[in-house]
């Protein structure tokens, strides 16, 4: 076949016309689209608990849920994502907010297509979340599911300020253009089952009334995964170094007992226990995480940067970033985290590898300085 020969000016014109007609030449751009490794705008970050708590407490004077706002929450804004106009993003998929409910307050019922988990940080156990009418009283360290589209509301019958973490898949649902929200008409959903019903029903043996079925699949039949149970599980696990995960220490993932898979279908949840002095090896994976330090003190190295943490702090682990954890304290450290691993796994996108050099440990090139203007 005879090929046409073009002048330089004709070639230039060709590309210009193409651009004007909204068409692109893949031979120039393939490398930008199908990158050799994950490309993203998520930078690691860390927030001190004191800073977060002070802002939330001030909001306690500024507004009241159910009156001035749907919820009283201060959220963690990753500055690297705000630069891209992404409001409320901790990672490209995950959001974390810290909610404060004061004695006597109520946050009305609503539902949304984002899935949510709550992790209880501080309080006296007198507040509850009701999921489709089932009340779960909140105790420190508990993880409570609010599966996508379930009605949920919060009420406080106790005497102390109640703080918890909300984890939602805000970025994921935004990217997938799948956000729906609806308030419950009439304010509060009927509260029918006894308090903590699903937890009591399925802990220490699982029972069904004769003829009753617990439907396998989504959502998990348990809403409240208690710290008491998680702690017991971790105690058993950490009795033998055989159970040690080289990258995560002694780690448990919250599961849906009817599927064996993650407790929530889209947000993964994990609790890690690090013994005093324990220093994990570095690895990286496609899934991203938001960490909360339940207790202990130490640091995490993320892509050569040291993030020093103590009780209450939160930090971001971006996708595909080298990371290792160290417990520098005298006590056990417990790190709770949410992740987007269930999504990556469902989409066949999860991949990870281990850091080979220097016996699995990264050189530390800089130390993160947390912001503090309160
Ligand atoms: O408590 O229902 O932090 O709907 C963000 C969105 C909390 C909640 C958040 C929500 C909630």
């Amino acid at each position: 076949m005879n090929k046409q020969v073009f002048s330089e000016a004709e070639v230039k014109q060709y590309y210009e016309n193409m651009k004007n007609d909204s068409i692109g030449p893949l031979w120039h751009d393939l490398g930008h689209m199908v990158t050799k490794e994950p490309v993203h705008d998520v930078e690691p970050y860390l927030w001190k608990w004191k800073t977060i708590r002070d802002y939330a407490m001030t909001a306690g004077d500024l507004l009241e849920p159910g009156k001035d706002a749907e919820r009283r929450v201060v959220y963690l804004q990753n500055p690297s994502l705000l630069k891209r106009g992404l409001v409320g993003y901790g990672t490209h998929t995950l959001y974390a907010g810290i909610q404060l409910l004061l004695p006597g307050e109520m946050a009305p019922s609503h539902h949304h297509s984002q899935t949510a988990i709550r992790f209880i940080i501080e309080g006296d156990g007198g507040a509850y979340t009701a999921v489709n009418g089932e009340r779960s009283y909140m105790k420190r360290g508990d993880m409570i599911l609010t599966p996508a589209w379930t009605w949920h509301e919060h009420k406080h019958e106790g005497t102390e300020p109640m703080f918890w973490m909300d984890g939602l898949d805000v970025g994921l649902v935004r990217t997938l253009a799948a956000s729906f929200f609806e308030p419950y008409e009439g304010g509060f959903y009927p509260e029918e089952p006894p308090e903590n019903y699903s937890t009591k029903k399925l802990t220490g043996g699982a029972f069904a009334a004769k003829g009753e079925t617990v439907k396998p699949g989504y959502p998990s039949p348990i809403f409240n995964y208690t710290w008491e149970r998680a702690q017991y599980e971790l105690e058993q696990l950490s009795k033998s170094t055989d159970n040690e995960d080289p990258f995560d220490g002694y780690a448990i993932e919250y599961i849906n007992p009817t599927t064996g898979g993650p407790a929530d279908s889209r947000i993964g949840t994990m609790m890690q226990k690090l013994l005093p002095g324990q220093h994990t090896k570095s690895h990286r994976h496609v899934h991203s995480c938001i960490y909360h330090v339940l207790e202990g003190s130490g640091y995490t190295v993320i892509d050569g940067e040291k993030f020093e943490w103590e009780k209450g702090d939160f930090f971001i682990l971006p996708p595909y970033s080298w990371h290792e954890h160290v417990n520098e304290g005298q006590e056990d450290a417990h790190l709770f985290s949410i992740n987007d691993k269930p999504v990556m796994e469902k989409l066949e996108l999860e991949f990870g590898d281990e850091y080979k050099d220097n016996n699995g440990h990264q050189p530390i090139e800089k130390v993160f300085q947390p912001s503090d203007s309160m």
Side-chain angles (χ1 to χ4, degrees):
M1 223 175 92
N2 280 334
K3 288 190 171 180
Q4 203 180 330
V5 179
F6 297 100
S7 69
E8 220 175 281
E10 283 170 327
V11 171
K12 202 169 156 235
Q13 191 62 54
Y14 166 81
Y15 284 118
E16 251 175 57
N17 291 349
M18 204 186 209
K19 198 171 171 187
N20 289 335
D21 287 326
S22 302
I23 292 176
L26 183 64
W27 54 93
H28 287 177
D29 303 320
L30 180 61
H32 296 287
M33 295 178 209
V34 183
T35 58
K36 289 192 172 132
E37 288 193 352
V39 168
H40 59 84
D41 300 313
V42 191
E43 284 170 24
Y45 202 78
L46 179 142
W47 294 263
K48 299 302 294 175
W49 173 240
K50 187 186 176 321
T51 307
I52 301 169
R53 194 182 187 285
D54 284 354
Y55 281 110
M57 278 306 271
T58 303
D61 295 327
L62 279 175
L63 59 123
E64 193 180 325
K67 249 170 85 183
D68 314 304
E70 189 77 7
R71 301 289 189 258
R72 184 195 290 116
V73 176
V74 296
Y75 62 83
L76 305 180
Q77 174 65 53
N78 190 325
S80 62
L81 295 173
L82 188 60
K83 279 188 216 153
R84 300 273 182 258
L86 302 173
V87 175
Y89 283 54
T91 77
H92 59 316
T93 55
L94 296 168
Y95 155 103
I98 288 73
Q99 186 155 175
L100 169 64
L101 200 63
L102 295 171
E105 288 182 342
M106 302 177 200
S109 193
H110 68 206
H111 66 181
H112 36 68
S113 50
Q114 287 79 4
T115 196
I117 67 95
R118 318 206 181 273
F119 188 78
I120 315 311
I121 297 174
E122 205 183 297
D124 63 357
Y128 65 83
T129 281
V131 179
N132 282 347
E134 182 182 317
R135 291 161 293 158
S136 279
Y137 280 86
M138 300 171 158
K139 293 209 294 295
R140 184 180 158 270
D142 291 356
M143 194 284 287
I144 299 176
L145 297 180
T146 309
W149 214 240
T150 53
W151 295 107
H152 52 283
E153 63 206 36
H154 318 300
K155 288 190 189 170
H156 199 329
E157 300 168 343
T159 57
E160 301 300 318
M162 184 82 218
F163 289 93
W164 67 86
M165 164 192 181
D166 298 309
L168 282 79
D169 53 353
V170 166
L172 177 74
V173 173
R174 171 78 176 94
T175 301
L176 299 177
S179 178
F180 294 93
F181 171 90
E182 222 176 32
Y184 185 73
E185 244 181 81
F188 293 92
Y189 192 85
E191 293 173 356
E192 270 152 16
E195 61 177 76
N196 297 326
Y197 183 64
S198 65
T199 303
K200 285 180 188 162
K201 184 180 169 72
L202 296 165
T203 303
F207 306 93
K210 193 175 170 214
E212 180 196 2
T213 49
V214 174
K215 249 188 22 203
Y218 176 81
S220 170
I222 300 176
F223 292 134
N224 190 349
Y225 292 69
T226 65
W227 174 225
E228 194 185 345
R229 281 281 298 118
Q231 219 171 356
Y232 173 77
E233 207 59 43
L234 284 165
E235 258 167 43
Q236 299 313 309
L237 210 62
S238 58
K239 278 182 179 161
S240 165
T241 52
D242 289 349
N243 300 323
E244 189 179 348
D245 180 280
F247 312 110
D248 289 317
Y250 298 97
I252 53 173
E253 293 182 298
Y254 298 68
I255 63 159
N256 173 343
T258 73
T259 63
D264 182 72
S265 76
R266 298 201 300 261
I267 297 183
T269 38
M270 182 163 84
M271 179 71 79
Q272 290 167 240
K273 175 178 182 173
L274 301 170
L275 303 177
Q278 194 165 359
H279 186 161
T280 67
K281 292 190 173 188
S282 267
H283 73 159
R284 61 181 175 179
H285 37 63
V286 167
H287 68 271
S288 64
C289 306
I290 303 180
Y291 270 86
H292 168 65
V293 183
L294 177 65
E295 53 201 14
S297 60
Y299 64 90
T300 297
V301 186
I302 305 174
D303 283 342
E305 188 170 0
K306 184 178 185 183
F307 291 81
E308 293 167 301
W309 42 255
E310 60 187 341
K311 183 176 173 168
D313 296 351
F314 283 81
F315 62 93
I316 299 293
L317 177 64
Y320 215 55
S321 306
W322 295 117
H323 57 283
E324 63 196 79
H325 309 286
V326 187
N327 177 359
E328 281 195 307
Q330 306 298 313
E331 310 289 332
D332 293 342
H334 285 105
L335 304 177
F336 173 75
S337 59
I338 61 171
N339 62 62
D340 50 18
K341 187 163 64 133
V343 174
M344 299 309 171
E345 285 179 341
K346 276 196 192 73
L347 300 182
E348 316 289 353
L349 288 169
E350 180 60 0
F351 173 78
D353 56 1
E354 42 189 279
Y355 192 84
K356 291 279 199 293
D357 300 342
N358 194 26
N359 199 27
H361 298 304
Q362 305 167 64
I364 295 174
E365 281 146 14
K366 56 177 174 171
V367 180
F368 179 81
Q369 296 305 327
S371 158
D372 170 26
S373 50
M374 272 290 292

